[in-house]
Amino acid sequence: MERPTYPVRTLFAYFVALIASLTAARWILGPFPEDGGGGLLVLVGFPLVAFVFLVVSMSLRPRRHVTIYRDDSRRETLLRVLQNQRVAVLTRTYTVVTPSGEPLATLRKTYLHNIVRKRWYVATPGGEPIAMAIEDSIVLSLLRRVLGVFLGFLRTNFLLVRGSEEAVLGEFNRKFTLFDRYVLDLSADPDRAFDRRVALALGVMLDTGERR
């Protein structure tokens, strides 16, 4: 699996975003008023400056597509996961494609769900729901928000469920080991209703996209 980070281009994007946000701060805030309203001006202006930094930096950063290879030799591409947007404030989507470019599915992550319980949605290229990956427990997910991974005892695991029916298709679990080890278990789907290629791509994004 390969997901380039583009450190030089990313640093350049942050540098330009910093210049843009400082310029915006100078224009929005300007000189502080003498009547004591400077605090209110900062309170209103700071979120706007932060928004400028976020939008500019995300607009200039390259999209990080994921390439999944058949083995460690990296000679044969198995799948690609294409990042659809550079700027994604609330929702980010990805397209899973074959080496020839044929779309297999779309993956969608809504950042607001991270507040309570992380989830990823899987749909056909036409938008029909296929499956959803959701944190294994609402109680554990809330504990993770407060305590973090807590020395590995609260590591993030996901259930894979079928569309809106929430019939369990499998699990994606992080093992309690010194190094990152993950198990994609689809034994609950013996009929292979969930395309194994899409499941593999989803597992990769649950790892790289969640910074677990």
PDB file of all heavy atoms in Angstrom, residues 83-114:
ATOM      1  N   GLN A  83      -8.820  10.312  -3.825  1.00  0.00           N
ATOM      2  CA  GLN A  83      -9.395  11.382  -3.001  1.00  0.00           C
ATOM      3  C   GLN A  83     -10.117  12.354  -3.925  1.00  0.00           C
ATOM      4  O   GLN A  83      -9.528  12.918  -4.840  1.00  0.00           O
ATOM      5  CB  GLN A  83      -8.290  12.092  -2.227  1.00  0.00           C
ATOM      6  CG  GLN A  83      -8.770  13.229  -1.351  1.00  0.00           C
ATOM      7  CD  GLN A  83      -7.621  13.905  -0.614  1.00  0.00           C
ATOM      8  OE1 GLN A  83      -6.703  13.247  -0.138  1.00  0.00           O
ATOM      9  NE2 GLN A  83      -7.668  15.218  -0.539  1.00  0.00           N
ATOM     10  N   ASN A  84     -11.404  12.565  -3.698  1.00  0.00           N
ATOM     11  CA  ASN A  84     -12.214  13.341  -4.636  1.00  0.00           C
ATOM     12  C   ASN A  84     -12.095  14.848  -4.467  1.00  0.00           C
ATOM     13  O   ASN A  84     -12.248  15.588  -5.435  1.00  0.00           O
ATOM     14  CB  ASN A  84     -13.688  12.939  -4.514  1.00  0.00           C
ATOM     15  CG  ASN A  84     -13.929  11.508  -4.955  1.00  0.00           C
ATOM     16  OD1 ASN A  84     -13.150  10.951  -5.724  1.00  0.00           O
ATOM     17  ND2 ASN A  84     -14.988  10.901  -4.462  1.00  0.00           N
ATOM     18  N   GLN A  85     -11.864  15.325  -3.241  1.00  0.00           N
ATOM     19  CA  GLN A  85     -11.810  16.771  -3.016  1.00  0.00           C
ATOM     20  C   GLN A  85     -10.494  17.166  -2.359  1.00  0.00           C
ATOM     21  O   GLN A  85      -9.924  16.405  -1.582  1.00  0.00           O
ATOM     22  CB  GLN A  85     -12.956  17.238  -2.097  1.00  0.00           C
ATOM     23  CG  GLN A  85     -14.330  16.762  -2.486  1.00  0.00           C
ATOM     24  CD  GLN A  85     -14.735  15.509  -1.750  1.00  0.00           C
ATOM     25  OE1 GLN A  85     -13.955  14.917  -1.024  1.00  0.00           O
ATOM     26  NE2 GLN A  85     -15.974  15.096  -1.948  1.00  0.00           N
ATOM     27  N   ARG A  86     -10.052  18.363  -2.684  1.00  0.00           N
ATOM     28  CA  ARG A  86      -8.951  18.948  -1.923  1.00  0.00           C
ATOM     29  C   ARG A  86      -9.489  19.588  -0.647  1.00  0.00           C
ATOM     30  O   ARG A  86      -8.946  19.400   0.425  1.00  0.00           O
ATOM     31  CB  ARG A  86      -8.216  19.999  -2.763  1.00  0.00           C
ATOM     32  CG  ARG A  86      -7.198  19.439  -3.739  1.00  0.00           C
ATOM     33  CD  ARG A  86      -6.311  20.535  -4.290  1.00  0.00           C
ATOM     34  NE  ARG A  86      -5.225  19.991  -5.096  1.00  0.00           N
ATOM     35  CZ  ARG A  86      -5.303  19.759  -6.382  1.00  0.00           C
ATOM     36  NH1 ARG A  86      -6.434  20.030  -7.026  1.00  0.00           N
ATOM     37  NH2 ARG A  86      -4.282  19.266  -7.046  1.00  0.00           N
ATOM     38  N   VAL A  87     -10.549  20.376  -0.789  1.00  0.00           N
ATOM     39  CA  VAL A  87     -11.143  21.064   0.351  1.00  0.00           C
ATOM     40  C   VAL A  87     -12.362  20.281   0.810  1.00  0.00           C
ATOM     41  O   VAL A  87     -13.303  20.078   0.045  1.00  0.00           O
ATOM     42  CB  VAL A  87     -11.549  22.506  -0.008  1.00  0.00           C
ATOM     43  CG1 VAL A  87     -12.179  23.194   1.192  1.00  0.00           C
ATOM     44  CG2 VAL A  87     -10.346  23.287  -0.508  1.00  0.00           C
ATOM     45  N   ALA A  88     -12.332  19.820   2.054  1.00  0.00           N
ATOM     46  CA  ALA A  88     -13.456  19.075   2.618  1.00  0.00           C
ATOM     47  C   ALA A  88     -13.634  19.529   4.058  1.00  0.00           C
ATOM     48  O   ALA A  88     -12.849  19.168   4.930  1.00  0.00           O
ATOM     49  CB  ALA A  88     -13.196  17.574   2.546  1.00  0.00           C
ATOM     50  N   VAL A  89     -14.656  20.322   4.301  1.00  0.00           N
ATOM     51  CA  VAL A  89     -14.878  20.859   5.640  1.00  0.00           C
ATOM     52  C   VAL A  89     -15.699  19.896   6.485  1.00  0.00           C
ATOM     53  O   VAL A  89     -15.339  19.578   7.618  1.00  0.00           O
ATOM     54  CB  VAL A  89     -15.570  22.233   5.557  1.00  0.00           C
ATOM     55  CG1 VAL A  89     -15.839  22.775   6.956  1.00  0.00           C
ATOM     56  CG2 VAL A  89     -14.710  23.215   4.767  1.00  0.00           C
ATOM     57  N   LEU A  90     -16.806  19.411   5.956  1.00  0.00           N
ATOM     58  CA  LEU A  90     -17.691  18.534   6.717  1.00  0.00           C
ATOM     59  C   LEU A  90     -17.634  17.082   6.253  1.00  0.00           C
ATOM     60  O   LEU A  90     -17.731  16.169   7.066  1.00  0.00           O
ATOM     61  CB  LEU A  90     -19.136  19.040   6.629  1.00  0.00           C
ATOM     62  CG  LEU A  90     -19.401  20.422   7.217  1.00  0.00           C
ATOM     63  CD1 LEU A  90     -20.858  20.812   7.009  1.00  0.00           C
ATOM     64  CD2 LEU A  90     -19.051  20.459   8.699  1.00  0.00           C
ATOM     65  N   THR A  91     -17.489  16.877   4.954  1.00  0.00           N
ATOM     66  CA  THR A  91     -17.531  15.526   4.393  1.00  0.00           C
ATOM     67  C   THR A  91     -16.426  15.354   3.366  1.00  0.00           C
ATOM     68  O   THR A  91     -16.160  16.258   2.574  1.00  0.00           O
ATOM     69  CB  THR A  91     -18.896  15.256   3.725  1.00  0.00           C
ATOM     70  OG1 THR A  91     -19.934  15.395   4.693  1.00  0.00           O
ATOM     71  CG2 THR A  91     -18.949  13.852   3.145  1.00  0.00           C
ATOM     72  N   ARG A  92     -15.790  14.189   3.393  1.00  0.00           N
ATOM     73  CA  ARG A  92     -14.787  13.862   2.381  1.00  0.00           C
ATOM     74  C   ARG A  92     -15.172  12.538   1.734  1.00  0.00           C
ATOM     75  O   ARG A  92     -15.623  11.611   2.417  1.00  0.00           O
ATOM     76  CB  ARG A  92     -13.388  13.760   2.991  1.00  0.00           C
ATOM     77  CG  ARG A  92     -12.301  13.523   1.938  1.00  0.00           C
ATOM     78  CD  ARG A  92     -10.916  13.524   2.541  1.00  0.00           C
ATOM     79  NE  ARG A  92     -10.502  14.815   3.045  1.00  0.00           N
ATOM     80  CZ  ARG A  92     -10.077  15.812   2.291  1.00  0.00           C
ATOM     81  NH1 ARG A  92     -10.050  15.684   0.974  1.00  0.00           N
ATOM     82  NH2 ARG A  92      -9.691  16.941   2.838  1.00  0.00           N
ATOM     83  N   THR A  93     -15.000  12.459   0.418  1.00  0.00           N
ATOM     84  CA  THR A  93     -15.345  11.239  -0.300  1.00  0.00           C
ATOM     85  C   THR A  93     -14.150  10.725  -1.094  1.00  0.00           C
ATOM     86  O   THR A  93     -13.263  11.488  -1.479  1.00  0.00           O
ATOM     87  CB  THR A  93     -16.528  11.465  -1.263  1.00  0.00           C
ATOM     88  OG1 THR A  93     -16.162  12.447  -2.239  1.00  0.00           O
ATOM     89  CG2 THR A  93     -17.768  11.912  -0.507  1.00  0.00           C
ATOM     90  N   TYR A  94     -14.161   9.425  -1.321  1.00  0.00           N
ATOM     91  CA  TYR A  94     -13.129   8.745  -2.093  1.00  0.00           C
ATOM     92  C   TYR A  94     -13.812   7.806  -3.079  1.00  0.00           C
ATOM     93  O   TYR A  94     -14.928   7.325  -2.830  1.00  0.00           O
ATOM     94  CB  TYR A  94     -12.202   7.928  -1.191  1.00  0.00           C
ATOM     95  CG  TYR A  94     -11.484   8.726  -0.132  1.00  0.00           C
ATOM     96  CD1 TYR A  94     -12.104   9.024   1.078  1.00  0.00           C
ATOM     97  CD2 TYR A  94     -10.183   9.177  -0.330  1.00  0.00           C
ATOM     98  CE1 TYR A  94     -11.444   9.756   2.060  1.00  0.00           C
ATOM     99  CE2 TYR A  94      -9.518   9.906   0.646  1.00  0.00           C
ATOM    100  CZ  TYR A  94     -10.161  10.191   1.836  1.00  0.00           C
ATOM    101  OH  TYR A  94      -9.509  10.915   2.804  1.00  0.00           O
ATOM    102  N   THR A  95     -13.132   7.532  -4.183  1.00  0.00           N
ATOM    103  CA  THR A  95     -13.639   6.589  -5.171  1.00  0.00           C
ATOM    104  C   THR A  95     -12.675   5.420  -5.286  1.00  0.00           C
ATOM    105  O   THR A  95     -11.474   5.621  -5.508  1.00  0.00           O
ATOM    106  CB  THR A  95     -13.809   7.253  -6.550  1.00  0.00           C
ATOM    107  OG1 THR A  95     -14.720   8.353  -6.434  1.00  0.00           O
ATOM    108  CG2 THR A  95     -14.366   6.262  -7.561  1.00  0.00           C
ATOM    109  N   VAL A  96     -13.193   4.218  -5.136  1.00  0.00           N
ATOM    110  CA  VAL A  96     -12.395   3.005  -5.280  1.00  0.00           C
ATOM    111  C   VAL A  96     -12.466   2.570  -6.738  1.00  0.00           C
ATOM    112  O   VAL A  96     -13.561   2.377  -7.284  1.00  0.00           O
ATOM    113  CB  VAL A  96     -12.921   1.879  -4.369  1.00  0.00           C
ATOM    114  CG1 VAL A  96     -12.034   0.637  -4.485  1.00  0.00           C
ATOM    115  CG2 VAL A  96     -13.001   2.350  -2.920  1.00  0.00           C
ATOM    116  N   VAL A  97     -11.308   2.424  -7.374  1.00  0.00           N
ATOM    117  CA  VAL A  97     -11.274   2.060  -8.793  1.00  0.00           C
ATOM    118  C   VAL A  97     -10.326   0.887  -9.005  1.00  0.00           C
ATOM    119  O   VAL A  97      -9.410   0.645  -8.213  1.00  0.00           O
ATOM    120  CB  VAL A  97     -10.833   3.252  -9.679  1.00  0.00           C
ATOM    121  CG1 VAL A  97     -11.787   4.426  -9.528  1.00  0.00           C
ATOM    122  CG2 VAL A  97      -9.410   3.684  -9.354  1.00  0.00           C
ATOM    123  N   THR A  98     -10.547   0.177 -10.092  1.00  0.00           N
ATOM    124  CA  THR A  98      -9.653  -0.899 -10.503  1.00  0.00           C
ATOM    125  C   THR A  98      -8.423  -0.289 -11.173  1.00  0.00           C
ATOM    126  O   THR A  98      -8.396   0.912 -11.466  1.00  0.00           O
ATOM    127  CB  THR A  98     -10.367  -1.835 -11.489  1.00  0.00           C
ATOM    128  OG1 THR A  98     -10.687  -1.086 -12.679  1.00  0.00           O
ATOM    129  CG2 THR A  98     -11.655  -2.388 -10.882  1.00  0.00           C
ATOM    130  N   PRO A  99      -7.394  -1.085 -11.449  1.00  0.00           N
ATOM    131  CA  PRO A  99      -6.216  -0.541 -12.145  1.00  0.00           C
ATOM    132  C   PRO A  99      -6.546   0.094 -13.491  1.00  0.00           C
ATOM    133  O   PRO A  99      -5.858   1.014 -13.935  1.00  0.00           O
ATOM    134  CB  PRO A  99      -5.318  -1.769 -12.308  1.00  0.00           C
ATOM    135  CG  PRO A  99      -5.697  -2.668 -11.187  1.00  0.00           C
ATOM    136  CD  PRO A  99      -7.171  -2.470 -11.009  1.00  0.00           C
ATOM    137  N   SER A 100      -7.616  -0.371 -14.140  1.00  0.00           N
ATOM    138  CA  SER A 100      -8.008   0.197 -15.433  1.00  0.00           C
ATOM    139  C   SER A 100      -8.849   1.457 -15.289  1.00  0.00           C
ATOM    140  O   SER A 100      -9.200   2.088 -16.288  1.00  0.00           O
ATOM    141  CB  SER A 100      -8.780  -0.845 -16.248  1.00  0.00           C
ATOM    142  OG  SER A 100      -9.983  -1.207 -15.582  1.00  0.00           O
ATOM    143  N   GLY A 101      -9.211   1.811 -14.035  1.00  0.00           N
ATOM    144  CA  GLY A 101      -9.989   3.020 -13.802  1.00  0.00           C
ATOM    145  C   GLY A 101     -11.476   2.801 -13.635  1.00  0.00           C
ATOM    146  O   GLY A 101     -12.232   3.767 -13.485  1.00  0.00           O
ATOM    147  N   GLU A 102     -11.927   1.553 -13.640  1.00  0.00           N
ATOM    148  CA  GLU A 102     -13.355   1.274 -13.466  1.00  0.00           C
ATOM    149  C   GLU A 102     -13.768   1.528 -12.019  1.00  0.00           C
ATOM    150  O   GLU A 102     -13.196   0.951 -11.094  1.00  0.00           O
ATOM    151  CB  GLU A 102     -13.653  -0.178 -13.829  1.00  0.00           C
ATOM    152  CG  GLU A 102     -15.106  -0.576 -13.598  1.00  0.00           C
ATOM    153  CD  GLU A 102     -15.333  -2.067 -13.752  1.00  0.00           C
ATOM    154  OE1 GLU A 102     -14.359  -2.787 -14.074  1.00  0.00           O
ATOM    155  OE2 GLU A 102     -16.477  -2.514 -13.534  1.00  0.00           O
ATOM    156  N   PRO A 103     -14.767   2.385 -11.775  1.00  0.00           N
ATOM    157  CA  PRO A 103     -15.190   2.650 -10.390  1.00  0.00           C
ATOM    158  C   PRO A 103     -15.927   1.461  -9.794  1.00  0.00           C
ATOM    159  O   PRO A 103     -16.785   0.855 -10.446  1.00  0.00           O
ATOM    160  CB  PRO A 103     -16.105   3.871 -10.529  1.00  0.00           C
ATOM    161  CG  PRO A 103     -16.588   3.841 -11.941  1.00  0.00           C
ATOM    162  CD  PRO A 103     -15.493   3.221 -12.756  1.00  0.00           C
ATOM    163  N   LEU A 104     -15.583   1.138  -8.556  1.00  0.00           N
ATOM    164  CA  LEU A 104     -16.223   0.038  -7.843  1.00  0.00           C
ATOM    165  C   LEU A 104     -17.163   0.534  -6.756  1.00  0.00           C
ATOM    166  O   LEU A 104     -18.217  -0.059  -6.516  1.00  0.00           O
ATOM    167  CB  LEU A 104     -15.165  -0.873  -7.211  1.00  0.00           C
ATOM    168  CG  LEU A 104     -14.213  -1.601  -8.148  1.00  0.00           C
ATOM    169  CD1 LEU A 104     -13.166  -2.365  -7.340  1.00  0.00           C
ATOM    170  CD2 LEU A 104     -14.982  -2.554  -9.052  1.00  0.00           C
ATOM    171  N   ALA A 105     -16.778   1.609  -6.082  1.00  0.00           N
ATOM    172  CA  ALA A 105     -17.581   2.110  -4.965  1.00  0.00           C
ATOM    173  C   ALA A 105     -17.082   3.491  -4.575  1.00  0.00           C
ATOM    174  O   ALA A 105     -16.001   3.928  -4.994  1.00  0.00           O
ATOM    175  CB  ALA A 105     -17.489   1.162  -3.769  1.00  0.00           C
ATOM    176  N   THR A 106     -17.879   4.168  -3.769  1.00  0.00           N
ATOM    177  CA  THR A 106     -17.459   5.427  -3.164  1.00  0.00           C
ATOM    178  C   THR A 106     -17.456   5.263  -1.648  1.00  0.00           C
ATOM    179  O   THR A 106     -18.312   4.569  -1.082  1.00  0.00           O
ATOM    180  CB  THR A 106     -18.388   6.589  -3.549  1.00  0.00           C
ATOM    181  OG1 THR A 106     -19.726   6.294  -3.121  1.00  0.00           O
ATOM    182  CG2 THR A 106     -18.379   6.822  -5.047  1.00  0.00           C
ATOM    183  N   LEU A 107     -16.491   5.891  -1.010  1.00  0.00           N
ATOM    184  CA  LEU A 107     -16.381   5.893   0.448  1.00  0.00           C
ATOM    185  C   LEU A 107     -16.605   7.318   0.927  1.00  0.00           C
ATOM    186  O   LEU A 107     -16.044   8.257   0.365  1.00  0.00           O
ATOM    187  CB  LEU A 107     -14.998   5.401   0.894  1.00  0.00           C
ATOM    188  CG  LEU A 107     -14.504   4.078   0.293  1.00  0.00           C
ATOM    189  CD1 LEU A 107     -13.105   3.765   0.813  1.00  0.00           C
ATOM    190  CD2 LEU A 107     -15.457   2.943   0.613  1.00  0.00           C
ATOM    191  N   ARG A 108     -17.405   7.468   1.974  1.00  0.00           N
ATOM    192  CA  ARG A 108     -17.719   8.813   2.466  1.00  0.00           C
ATOM    193  C   ARG A 108     -17.537   8.875   3.974  1.00  0.00           C
ATOM    194  O   ARG A 108     -18.022   8.018   4.706  1.00  0.00           O
ATOM    195  CB  ARG A 108     -19.158   9.191   2.104  1.00  0.00           C
ATOM    196  CG  ARG A 108     -19.618  10.525   2.673  1.00  0.00           C
ATOM    197  CD  ARG A 108     -20.946  10.952   2.057  1.00  0.00           C
ATOM    198  NE  ARG A 108     -21.982   9.951   2.250  1.00  0.00           N
ATOM    199  CZ  ARG A 108     -22.791   9.922   3.315  1.00  0.00           C
ATOM    200  NH1 ARG A 108     -22.654  10.815   4.286  1.00  0.00           N
ATOM    201  NH2 ARG A 108     -23.721   8.989   3.407  1.00  0.00           N
ATOM    202  N   LYS A 109     -16.830   9.913   4.403  1.00  0.00           N
ATOM    203  CA  LYS A 109     -16.603  10.138   5.826  1.00  0.00           C
ATOM    204  C   LYS A 109     -17.134  11.519   6.188  1.00  0.00           C
ATOM    205  O   LYS A 109     -16.776  12.514   5.550  1.00  0.00           O
ATOM    206  CB  LYS A 109     -15.114  10.056   6.154  1.00  0.00           C
ATOM    207  CG  LYS A 109     -14.758  10.434   7.580  1.00  0.00           C
ATOM    208  CD  LYS A 109     -13.256  10.370   7.788  1.00  0.00           C
ATOM    209  CE  LYS A 109     -12.867  10.912   9.155  1.00  0.00           C
ATOM    210  NZ  LYS A 109     -13.457  10.129  10.244  1.00  0.00           N
ATOM    211  N   THR A 110     -17.996  11.585   7.208  1.00  0.00           N
ATOM    212  CA  THR A 110     -18.532  12.849   7.701  1.00  0.00           C
ATOM    213  C   THR A 110     -17.853  13.172   9.028  1.00  0.00           C
ATOM    214  O   THR A 110     -17.979  12.418   9.995  1.00  0.00           O
ATOM    215  CB  THR A 110     -20.060  12.766   7.887  1.00  0.00           C
ATOM    216  OG1 THR A 110     -20.661  12.436   6.625  1.00  0.00           O
ATOM    217  CG2 THR A 110     -20.616  14.088   8.377  1.00  0.00           C
ATOM    218  N   TYR A 111     -17.143  14.288   9.072  1.00  0.00           N
ATOM    219  CA  TYR A 111     -16.305  14.593  10.225  1.00  0.00           C
ATOM    220  C   TYR A 111     -17.111  14.856  11.495  1.00  0.00           C
ATOM    221  O   TYR A 111     -16.612  14.635  12.604  1.00  0.00           O
ATOM    222  CB  TYR A 111     -15.410  15.796   9.916  1.00  0.00           C
ATOM    223  CG  TYR A 111     -14.347  15.488   8.883  1.00  0.00           C
ATOM    224  CD1 TYR A 111     -14.423  16.004   7.593  1.00  0.00           C
ATOM    225  CD2 TYR A 111     -13.279  14.661   9.197  1.00  0.00           C
ATOM    226  CE1 TYR A 111     -13.453  15.705   6.645  1.00  0.00           C
ATOM    227  CE2 TYR A 111     -12.305  14.365   8.255  1.00  0.00           C
ATOM    228  CZ  TYR A 111     -12.399  14.891   6.982  1.00  0.00           C
ATOM    229  OH  TYR A 111     -11.442  14.585   6.051  1.00  0.00           O
ATOM    230  N   LEU A 112     -18.342  15.315  11.370  1.00  0.00           N
ATOM    231  CA  LEU A 112     -19.147  15.576  12.560  1.00  0.00           C
ATOM    232  C   LEU A 112     -19.393  14.304  13.368  1.00  0.00           C
ATOM    233  O   LEU A 112     -19.555  14.356  14.586  1.00  0.00           O
ATOM    234  CB  LEU A 112     -20.482  16.214  12.161  1.00  0.00           C
ATOM    235  CG  LEU A 112     -20.428  17.669  11.688  1.00  0.00           C
ATOM    236  CD1 LEU A 112     -21.813  18.139  11.270  1.00  0.00           C
ATOM    237  CD2 LEU A 112     -19.869  18.578  12.778  1.00  0.00           C
ATOM    238  N   HIS A 113     -19.411  13.166  12.692  1.00  0.00           N
ATOM    239  CA  HIS A 113     -19.632  11.906  13.403  1.00  0.00           C
ATOM    240  C   HIS A 113     -18.472  11.569  14.340  1.00  0.00           C
ATOM    241  O   HIS A 113     -18.636  10.783  15.276  1.00  0.00           O
ATOM    242  CB  HIS A 113     -19.824  10.762  12.403  1.00  0.00           C
ATOM    243  CG  HIS A 113     -21.117  10.850  11.655  1.00  0.00           C
ATOM    244  ND1 HIS A 113     -21.302  10.294  10.408  1.00  0.00           N
ATOM    245  CD2 HIS A 113     -22.293  11.441  11.970  1.00  0.00           C
ATOM    246  CE1 HIS A 113     -22.530  10.536   9.992  1.00  0.00           C
ATOM    247  NE2 HIS A 113     -23.146  11.234  10.918  1.00  0.00           N
ATOM    248  N   ASN A 114     -17.287  12.151  14.073  1.00  0.00           N
ATOM    249  CA  ASN A 114     -16.137  11.869  14.927  1.00  0.00           C
ATOM    250  C   ASN A 114     -16.354  12.333  16.361  1.00  0.00           C
ATOM    251  O   ASN A 114     -15.688  11.864  17.281  1.00  0.00           O
ATOM    252  CB  ASN A 114     -14.882  12.549  14.375  1.00  0.00           C
ATOM    253  CG  ASN A 114     -14.349  11.839  13.145  1.00  0.00           C
ATOM    254  OD1 ASN A 114     -14.944  10.884  12.662  1.00  0.00           O
ATOM    255  ND2 ASN A 114     -13.230  12.309  12.633  1.00  0.00           N
TER     256      ASN A 114
END
